Amino acid sequence: MRDDDLRLVLYSHDRGGQGHARRNLALAGALARQLPVLTGRRAAGVLLTGADVAGSRTWPEGFDQVVLPGGGQDADGRVPDGPAVSAARVRSEMLDAVLTDVRPHLVVVDGRPWGPDRELLEPLLRLRAGSPGTVVVLGLPEVLGESWAAAPEWVAPEDVGLLQEAYDQIWVYGDPAVHDPLSTGEIPAALAGLVRCTGYLTAGAAPGRRTAGGGAPHVLTLAGTGPEGSRLALAAARTRVPHGHRHVLVTGPGMPAELAAQVRAAAVPGTLVLPGLPDALAEVADAAAVVSSGGYGPVAEILGTDAPALVVPQAGAGPEQLTRARALQGHGAVDVLTPDSLTGAALGGWLHRVVGTVRPRGHLALDGLRVAPALAACLLPGPCPEDSSELVLAGLNA
């Protein structure tokens, strides 16, 4: 990093897969592209992650990655209850070291305000004490889910004061007209003054070239990470898709090898089973129809297209995925199939009904990858850039 760079740190704990890291990666790319235009200074920095995403096609120039130990899932696809004491200590020390070394102008924390086992709390408070000019932002998906919102590190009375002390803003990556975590109580009312709604992190991400299935028309299934995705993957593998279409079925890199083998064995002719994609957006944007789990990442990619989409919430994901799916269904953006109705016949019937149709989604707030950099530019030292003011007001008034 150069002396005159805007120094950024984006942290994601990534205890349940790559979703948090990929969200921060998309945001880092948007910041790297737009902050130089808005502020006249290059943006560079570090992604602090629990999942290695450095191989992404969209890795932003000027950014490094530091991978924290003990994140993600184990070999069986399970999320550990918590890292071992030594791993937790090492993670916290690494966080402290990076924040001290980088001396960031902006820190964005994804998901949990203190990380698992409160690993980020002391490093963040030390940063605040030693560098009071640093801007610190908490980034949240639009649906937090009852189990996450009830976590002690979020709603304990003493933590509301700590959050107000440690964070300058809370960015909610969604459309409050679809789902408003303030009105539901997922975000405590005492923090309402910090909240800005960016819209979904969708528009602005340019797809690359397709790499799966050649140039033939295709339908796409994104089954989701880990063993929870196996039910959808197995049902999709047995699905007869519309004539003339190939079926690209993505199991996700976190699916245990034994379950992935079962999915490949169950696949009917014309179905291509893959563990992952270098650019999922390219496949989504060109698909005749998409079936997906209800995680934030795949849903946000779908919302940036006009492909018909069927969301199948994972049964073990708590209320988050079903809440997101139902909210978007209520605004005409997706169709929903509940896990208890999941069969190959149900998927095939839906595919045959929707292939050849489109699903416009322009009525949703999808501009998060433009609004978030504008919010950042107005938080950083110097006057709020004129080009940012309208977007900032949109986030404030959402």
Side-chain angles (χ1 to χ4, degrees):
M1 284 178 279
R2 302 193 297 251
D3 290 342
D4 59 343
D5 284 344
L6 286 171
R7 299 183 299 277
L8 315 182
V9 170
L10 291 88
Y11 160 82
S12 56
H13 62 84
D14 304 298
R15 294 291 301 284
Q18 295 186 341
H20 296 273
R22 291 194 176 279
R23 191 157 58 219
N24 265 358
L25 179 60
L27 184 58
L31 292 167
R33 290 190 302 271
Q34 295 173 50
L35 282 180
V37 177
L38 295 170
T39 69
R41 299 174 66 183
R42 191 183 83 132
V46 176
L47 272 78
L48 269 167
T49 75
D52 187 353
V53 291
S56 168
R57 179 188 68 85
T58 56
W59 189 262
E61 182 180 354
F63 278 78
D64 295 320
Q65 177 181 238
V66 174
V67 181
L68 301 165
Q73 298 169 326
D74 63 21
D76 296 321
R78 295 186 296 264
V79 179
D81 292 334
V85 173
S86 59
R89 184 182 302 117
V90 168
R91 285 170 64 101
S92 189
E93 290 174 353
M94 290 176 68
L95 291 169
D96 196 32
V98 171
L99 292 174
T100 300
D101 183 64
V102 174
R103 296 175 292 111
H105 296 96
L106 172 68
V107 176
V108 180
V109 174
D110 188 275
R112 295 190 189 182
W114 315 127
D117 301 314
R118 302 171 83 85
E119 66 185 17
L120 183 61
L121 176 58
E122 290 303 322
L124 201 56
L125 293 179
R126 276 193 289 274
L127 175 69
R128 274 306 212 186
S131 181
T134 295
V135 174
V136 184
V137 172
L138 176 63
L140 299 173
E142 86 293 20
V143 180
L144 305 183
E146 184 178 299
S147 59
W148 190 92
E153 65 262 34
W154 179 248
V155 298
E158 63 271 20
D159 281 328
V160 172
L162 277 175
L163 278 158
Q164 292 169 324
E165 176 186 346
Y167 285 93
D168 295 288
Q169 280 186 0
I170 298 172
W171 295 347
V172 176
Y173 302 138
D175 182 344
V178 176
H179 182 84
D180 181 3
L182 272 170
S183 66
T184 63
E186 292 163 88
I187 296 177
L191 299 173
L194 299 181
V195 173
R196 305 291 185 271
C197 294
T198 67
Y200 290 93
L201 301 183
T202 298
R209 296 180 60 187
R210 285 189 59 200
T211 57
H218 76 291
V219 298
L220 176 68
T221 296
L222 303 170
T225 299
E228 268 296 314
S230 64
R231 288 193 64 229
L232 174 55
L234 283 168
R238 301 180 178 116
T239 297
R240 300 287 178 176
V241 303
H243 179 72
H245 290 76
R246 295 205 64 187
H247 187 184
V248 178
L249 167 56
V250 183
T251 62
M255 183 171 290
E258 181 180 346
L259 292 177
Q262 292 177 19
V263 173
R264 290 193 296 271
V268 299
T271 297
L272 175 64
V273 180
L274 300 172
L277 292 168
D279 185 1
L281 182 58
E283 307 301 327
V284 173
D286 200 40
V290 184
V291 178
S292 174
S293 67
Y296 183 92
V299 168
E301 288 179 332
I302 288 166
L303 294 181
T305 75
D306 60 6
L310 179 68
V311 176
V312 185
Q314 293 181 342
E320 176 192 348
Q321 293 195 12
L322 181 59
T323 299
R324 174 176 295 117
R326 290 296 192 205
L328 287 166
Q329 182 184 41
H331 284 73
V334 302
D335 297 319
V336 178
L337 182 67
T338 56
D340 57 348
S341 301
L342 175 61
T343 64
L347 294 180
W350 178 83
L351 287 168
H352 281 80
R353 288 193 300 274
V354 303
V355 161
T357 68
V358 295
R359 184 68 64 93
R361 302 184 176 99
H363 58 292
L364 303 179
L366 304 174
D367 214 13
L369 291 175
R370 287 186 63 227
V371 173
L375 289 168
C378 288
L379 285 169
L380 291 164
C384 181
E386 186 176 339
D387 291 347
S388 298
S389 56
E390 184 177 343
L391 293 173
V392 169
L393 286 173
L396 178 61
N397 296 327

